[in-house]
Amino acid sequence: MLESKYIWMDGKLVPWKDAKIHVITHSLHYGSAVFEGLRFYGTEIGSAIFRLEDHTNRLISSAVSIKMQIPFNAEEINSAIIETVKANELKNGYIRPLAYYGYGKMGLRPEGAPVNLSIAVWHWDNYLGTESVNVKTSSFMRFHPKSSITTSKFAGNYVNSILAGTEATSQGYDEALLLDYEGKVAEGPGENIFIVSDGHLFTPPPGNILAGITRDSVMTIAEDLGIRVEEKPLTLDEIYNADEAFFTGTAAEVAPIKSLDDHDLKNSLGPVTEKIRTTFFNIVNGKDDKYKNWLTVVQ
Ligand code: PMP
């Protein structure tokens, strides 16, 4: 159920059912909020948040891009996230920090509107399920890098993702794949994509994608496992002919792709994906000391 105990709102923990805002909240109307998504996992030494500082830094950088001044610094946001995770007493879950223009000013120039910060936590199973997924190329193009800022998690950017995702699921697929304005592969609505070809990993370069933190983690893991990783523009044909493919993202984690546009890939969960996925889950579950600097243990 989408519910937990407390939501942190502007410095205070508020019971979940009381965490309400006014309907004339700027960001509700114009998509001017910025947000993050993190996960925490149960480890032997307590729940651990994965790459906390990196997510907080991306939240702040999204805010800077839209000239929003969050009234809390990185250290305060990190502490607030830890406090919220502790208060909710969940073993594992998803964390949603949201900075938004609140109640007090409307119109398309939000400067002067109050900026609010909330942090919610809930239990969320893997977003795409544990099986490998059937994917459909979207008729919606990933928004042009000159139409918005691709590296920022602006709420408004996600209408593009919602259109693509809804189209794919309404046609019976599990997830969409968006192409960029040049017809090259960009990413999923909330995931980055990798393919495996001849034992090497390939993924689209930054520019038309949100270069995710899971993507970065997978690239590091692969290199440490001796698997070569190359960032290069990918065509649909390269995916149809790939040995393996998978999505990465905080919510989706490492999700193998079974088919794209009804072309079955050679493997639905191939050996390279399996190796990377196993390593990733060992890391997030605190079973791999080499990467323990990626975990913030909540005592
Ligand atoms: N692309 C988009 C559009 C996303 O929303 C996300 C989720 N934040 C990702 C990729 C994956 O990013 P991350 O691994 O940082 O969650």
Side-chain angles (χ1 to χ4, degrees):
M1 189 164 60
L2 182 52
E3 191 176 333
S4 61
K5 290 185 177 169
Y6 298 103
I7 295 185
W8 188 99
M9 294 180 86
D10 303 312
K12 279 198 286 282
L13 286 168
V14 177
W16 179 281
K17 63 174 176 20
D18 300 328
K20 293 176 183 163
I21 53 166
H22 198 278
V23 74
I24 304 299
T25 288
H26 187 280
S27 290
L28 180 63
H29 296 251
Y30 306 117
S32 57
V34 300
F35 69 96
E36 265 309 312
L38 306 82
R39 273 192 188 274
F40 62 99
Y41 294 85
T43 75
E44 273 176 6
I45 47 168
S47 295
I49 304 169
F50 187 60
R51 300 195 64 170
L52 172 63
E53 286 88 3
D54 297 307
H55 281 282
T56 297
N57 291 342
R58 189 170 66 185
L59 180 76
I60 291 171
S61 113
S62 296
V64 167
S65 299
I66 200 170
K67 297 190 164 43
M68 171 194 277
Q69 288 182 346
I70 302 179
F72 300 93
N73 63 28
E75 218 173 289
E76 290 164 336
I77 296 171
N78 288 334
S79 309
I81 291 173
I82 293 170
E83 185 188 349
T84 314
V85 170
K86 273 190 199 167
N88 280 289
E89 298 179 320
L90 291 169
K91 204 169 156 226
N92 55 59
Y94 183 83
I95 309 166
R96 168 53 52 80
L98 176 82
Y100 58 98
Y101 286 113
Y103 169 66
K105 189 173 181 220
M106 289 297 269
L108 295 177
R109 286 188 296 274
E111 38 322 339
V115 178
N116 299 101
L117 178 66
S118 66
I119 302 161
V121 162
W122 64 87
H123 177 79
W124 214 12
D125 285 330
N126 180 282
Y127 177 63
L128 295 173
T130 46
E131 300 293 314
S132 56
V133 289
N134 293 311
V135 180
K136 176 85 172 89
T137 304
S138 184
S139 69
F140 294 98
M141 181 184 95
R142 166 76 169 150
F143 62 83
H144 192 286
K146 289 201 185 301
S147 302
S148 184
I149 298 172
T150 52
T151 50
S152 294
K153 283 181 74 76
F154 299 148
N157 282 350
Y158 281 83
V159 174
N160 184 223
S161 292
I162 289 170
L163 289 168
T166 307
E167 180 187 65
T169 52
S170 70
Q171 293 175 10
Y173 297 89
D174 301 308
E175 189 54 303
L177 176 68
L178 291 96
L179 304 183
D180 67 20
Y181 68 100
E182 291 176 307
K184 292 290 190 333
V185 172
E187 59 183 336
E191 309 90 7
N192 294 115
I193 189 165
F194 285 83
I195 64 166
V196 180
S197 235
D198 295 330
H200 299 154
L201 271 188
F202 298 91
T203 192
N208 295 321
I209 60 167
L210 182 85
I213 292 168
T214 321
R215 174 185 180 275
D216 176 75
S217 309
V218 161
M219 288 170 77
T220 305
I221 293 167
E223 275 157 17
D224 290 351
L225 289 170
I227 299 164
R228 214 186 83 199
V229 189
E230 196 185 321
E231 290 176 304
K232 81 171 188 89
L234 294 174
T235 61
L236 275 180
D237 218 40
E238 285 173 289
I239 304 194
Y240 299 147
N241 287 295
D243 296 324
E244 307 171 31
F246 58 90
F247 278 135
T248 62
T250 298
E253 300 169 310
V254 177
I257 296 174
K258 190 171 167 197
S259 71
L260 173 62
D261 302 332
D262 304 317
H263 294 260
D264 283 332
L265 299 196
K266 289 180 194 129
N267 297 279
S268 63
L269 171 57
V272 175
T273 309
E274 170 90 77
K275 210 165 160 186
I276 288 171
R277 194 158 89 139
T278 305
T279 311
F280 174 81
F281 281 113
N282 281 339
I283 294 169
V284 297
N285 289 303
K287 293 181 184 144
D288 193 333
D289 278 354
K290 190 168 162 199
Y291 304 89
K292 60 174 193 295
N293 61 329
W294 281 349
L295 298 179
T296 302
V297 177
V298 176
Q299 299 293 345

